[in-house]
Amino acid sequence: MNTNHVIKRVMLRTVPLIMLCGALLATGYLMSSHHEPTSHVIQADYPQYATLSESVQAADVIIVGTVLESREELSYPHIDTTNGDAATNPQYGLVRQAINKGALAVPVTVTDVRVLEVLKGAVTPNEVIAITQVGGHIDGQEVREEHTVLLNETDHNEFLLLLHTYNDESYDAINPQDGVLAVDDHGTVSRLSSVPIQGASIGLTLDDYRKEVQKAAS
């Protein structure tokens, strides 16, 4: 699966300065981590949506689904050494063979989700789609994104997912807190993460999202 879009969207701020700074600047994102021996927490600059309407409009696909299984993968950036110039593209003029692409890898978790209900987008009920989230293991260390709760580590049975879709038929959330939500038996919607995002807003119930999708389509 091509997960380059995860890297393109997530702009990571870094603290491991000397080894990572040059490479990460060349790919357009910076990573920051808290210094722990086997775990790193990174912050990602995701798009933010001030209203329910904005988040619904931003999503290509909105579904209710249930988790099947997950796997970890490494996501690698697209490296373009020919486009633009040195002022606009830090990768310009680099010798491709000299680039250690493995050093730029970002661990992601890919979760298969069965679609139970489609609110928006070109998917169908009972279809299984793969959703990518930042977080996983690399070189024996766990990497976590501050606002991301992985779908495979919660006790919830159903999720409301607001997703971006790509030509390779992969998906990721519009952001971790507005795009990955738990749905209880009464249709009440809640965030998985308790870490606040300034200005973020979600609906209270699944019906709020159904109505907003219908409103946007009318």
Side-chain angles (χ1 to χ4, degrees), residues 66-218:
T66 186
V67 167
L68 299 179
E69 59 183 8
S70 297
R71 57 199 173 275
E72 291 189 8
E73 298 180 359
L74 294 179
S75 182
Y76 298 92
H78 171 70
I79 298 175
D80 185 354
T81 62
T82 61
N83 185 42
D85 55 37
T88 60
N89 179 11
Q91 301 166 0
Y92 180 78
L94 293 177
V95 178
R96 186 172 294 275
Q97 290 80 359
I99 299 172
N100 182 4
K101 196 171 182 180
L104 308 180
V106 173
V108 298
T109 297
V110 182
T111 301
D112 291 334
V113 171
R114 186 176 301 280
V115 178
L116 302 177
E117 178 185 349
V118 180
L119 281 70
K120 178 183 179 181
V123 294
T124 57
N126 210 40
E127 183 177 350
V128 176
I129 63 176
I131 298 173
T132 301
Q133 295 176 284
V134 175
H137 293 80
I138 185 170
D139 295 333
Q141 299 209 354
E142 182 183 28
V143 176
R144 299 302 304 262
E145 197 283 315
E146 180 182 25
H147 298 101
T148 298
V149 176
L150 300 177
L151 285 164
N152 65 350
E153 61 185 11
T154 79
D155 295 328
H156 299 288
N157 294 320
E158 294 185 6
F159 300 89
L160 174 64
L161 302 172
L162 287 74
L163 306 169
H164 291 294
T165 184
Y166 300 88
N167 292 334
D168 62 354
E169 297 184 354
S170 58
Y171 301 81
D172 67 0
I174 59 171
N175 68 33
Q177 288 200 319
D178 298 322
V180 183
L181 306 168
V183 181
D184 69 13
D185 293 339
H186 304 288
T188 301
V189 171
S190 61
R191 287 196 174 97
L192 302 186
S193 173
S194 60
V195 180
I197 292 181
Q198 184 176 2
S201 177
I202 65 169
L204 298 177
T205 68
L206 188 54
D207 275 343
D208 290 339
Y209 287 85
R210 294 185 181 112
K211 292 174 183 177
E212 190 60 44
V213 170
Q214 292 174 355
K215 177 182 174 182
S218 61

